[in-house]
Amino acid sequence: PKTDIVFLKVHKSASSTVMNILFRFGEMHNLTFAFPIGGGNQLFYPHHFLARFVQGFSPRSPRKFNIICHHMRFLLPEVQKVVSHSAIYFSILRNPVHLMESSFVYYKGASAFSHARSLEEFLNQPYLYYNPANRDSHYARNLMTFDFGFNPNGEVSAKRVQLMLEAIEASFDLVLISEYFDESMVLLKEMLCWDLDSIVSFPLNSRDRSTKSPLPDSIMEKIKNWNRLDWEIYTHFNRTFWERIDRDIGRERMQQEVKALRERRAELARTCLQGMGSVAPKDIKDSSLRPLQHGNAKILGYNLKMGLDKETEHMCRRLVTPELQYSSALYKKQFP
């Protein structure tokens, strides 16, 4: 199994669920994480990542960490200072239409969104609300482009898009697609030489359907145009994702692998969860399992079954522990 890993955690793209997978694997194998100085969950985002943001890093005796997965704005030469040169790099993308709809709800407090009554109102006159000079403007336009380290307000020329795509392909071994989460996990498992239980997960940091509304086509087109750079990145890597499946696994075997993954997830849900699925924040009985609530989103969580034996309870708890609580526990373990 590969143990040196760089995960670029792209906002609102099922990345908290992927992070839980990395946390569990790292904890199980006593791996070290590149934590932000003083803990927390962001490597001084939205600044470009610097090695000195990592707790325990010193340029005089550069220490290598096994896993880096906290929020950062990607900058390859700096990341290379904190992980081994053989590390596997991967990230995950989401359709920019859904990403923008999600961001508008989740980051409602951001300067660009706070005065717009609806996403439609924002998109009809974006420059009425959006000021690229504001420190939090990146949440409102080409958020994936920004997380990968590029300028979200850059011109959309064929040449510039090409250079961006080439830079991502040169840095990353694998780019996953959150709309095909299970297929993505199978690809990840293959690349990291992990077993099925290492990549099984329950969805984390997902929001209640009551805050989601379907978007008319006219709005979708406006979102694509406003986030044109993100759209170019997404469509490119959505294509190469399926090319990779055809090349490395094949559709038939992929179907079998996805089936096995879903069966194992359902089995774990029966073992671990009350009522088999996620619940609204107000219904989470154990406050230590309550995820951070943000913006206008209602972030769902889980209730564990009562009376589990100690080992099973430990495994189940890890699967449903929200990102901030899990990160904090691992930080205390690594820096007692």
Side-chain angles (χ1 to χ4, degrees):
K2 305 271 197 298
T3 53
D4 292 317
I5 295 161
V6 174
F7 172 51
L8 177 63
K9 186 176 191 297
V10 170
H11 286 78
K12 312 305 317 143
S13 304
S15 53
S16 296
T17 309
V18 177
M19 206 171 179
N20 176 271
I21 288 170
L22 296 174
F23 280 167
R24 288 184 351 244
F25 186 87
E27 183 179 28
M28 196 175 192
H29 296 87
N30 284 322
L31 304 179
T32 56
F33 289 88
F35 283 107
I37 286 176
N41 66 323
Q42 306 211 345
L43 288 153
F44 292 81
Y45 186 88
H47 296 286
H48 272 106
F49 175 78
L50 296 173
R52 62 183 171 81
F53 296 161
V54 173
Q55 175 97 35
F57 174 83
S58 138
R60 285 184 299 286
S61 58
R63 174 183 170 194
K64 302 291 187 194
F65 298 86
N66 296 116
I67 298 177
I68 182 165
C69 60
H70 287 73
H71 272 310
M72 63 172 155
R73 189 172 183 206
F74 191 68
L75 189 58
L76 181 64
E78 290 291 318
V79 173
Q80 286 170 329
K81 294 177 185 175
V82 299
V83 293
S84 103
H85 61 84
S86 61
I88 299 274
Y89 287 66
F90 79 100
S91 187
I92 188 164
L93 302 175
R94 183 181 184 186
N95 183 321
V97 173
H98 307 312
L99 181 77
M100 176 110 201
E101 188 271 335
S102 178
S103 296
F104 185 80
V105 175
Y106 197 80
Y107 300 114
K108 193 68 184 87
S111 57
F113 292 152
S114 58
H115 298 297
R117 277 177 305 209
S118 65
L119 180 54
E120 186 168 9
E121 193 175 283
F122 173 84
L123 291 161
N124 285 340
Q125 294 178 287
Y127 284 108
L128 191 63
Y129 306 101
Y130 175 80
N131 176 357
N134 288 350
R135 205 178 158 270
D136 61 359
S137 67
H138 55 281
Y139 290 122
R141 188 178 200 189
N142 290 315
L143 181 51
M144 296 191 290
T145 301
F146 183 87
D147 286 353
F148 274 93
F150 307 110
N151 174 10
N153 293 293
E155 55 156 355
V156 189
S157 64
K159 179 82 183 128
R160 189 160 179 278
V161 167
Q162 187 59 31
L163 288 170
M164 239 172 34
L165 296 174
E166 283 170 7
I168 295 171
E169 287 190 321
S171 304
F172 288 84
D173 300 288
L174 183 61
V175 177
L176 304 172
I177 302 290
S178 66
E179 280 78 12
Y180 305 104
F181 188 80
D182 291 345
E183 291 84 351
S184 292
M185 291 306 100
V186 172
L187 276 183
L188 186 65
K189 170 172 84 81
E190 295 286 306
M191 190 178 67
L192 297 175
C193 307
W194 288 9
D195 62 9
L196 181 65
D197 269 12
S198 298
I199 55 129
V200 74
S201 62
F202 297 139
L204 294 176
N205 206 32
S206 57
R207 65 188 166 111
D208 187 8
R209 287 188 194 285
S210 69
T211 60
K212 296 180 185 178
S213 46
L215 299 169
D217 292 350
S218 57
I219 300 249
M220 289 192 187
E221 284 312 309
K222 283 178 177 163
I223 293 177
K224 284 180 200 174
N225 288 328
W226 176 246
N227 297 282
R228 181 55 61 185
L229 293 172
D230 272 11
W231 185 251
E232 295 289 345
I233 291 176
Y234 177 78
T235 48
H236 173 83
F237 284 104
N238 189 15
R239 194 181 70 247
T240 58
F241 177 81
W242 291 101
E243 286 169 2
R244 180 157 188 156
I245 287 173
D246 289 337
R247 189 188 73 216
D248 295 354
I249 294 183
R251 301 280 169 121
E252 201 175 319
R253 188 175 141 229
M254 177 54 90
Q255 275 183 325
Q256 292 161 353
E257 293 270 356
V258 165
K259 185 168 175 270
L261 173 59
R262 287 175 181 165
E263 282 169 358
R264 182 65 180 133
R265 182 184 296 131
E267 192 185 331
L268 284 167
R270 284 192 295 272
T271 303
C272 296
L273 304 179
Q274 285 181 31
M276 290 285 292
S278 51
V279 296
K282 64 175 179 22
D283 298 324
I284 301 168
K285 300 185 180 86
D286 181 342
S287 60
S288 71
L289 295 178
R290 192 170 293 139
L292 173 76
Q293 300 299 314
H294 204 285
N296 288 351
K298 281 198 186 94
I299 305 300
L300 303 171
Y302 297 92
N303 286 317
L304 292 179
K305 275 190 175 159
M306 310 299 277
L308 298 171
D309 67 77
K310 206 169 169 185
E311 199 178 323
T312 309
E313 205 267 348
H314 182 81
M315 173 201 64
C316 292
R317 182 170 286 274
R318 290 288 176 261
L319 278 162
V320 300
T321 299
E323 178 187 325
L324 300 187
Q325 288 92 310
Y326 206 155
S327 180
S328 161
L330 291 173
Y331 177 80
K332 287 180 186 133
K333 197 170 160 186
Q334 191 168 311
F335 299 103

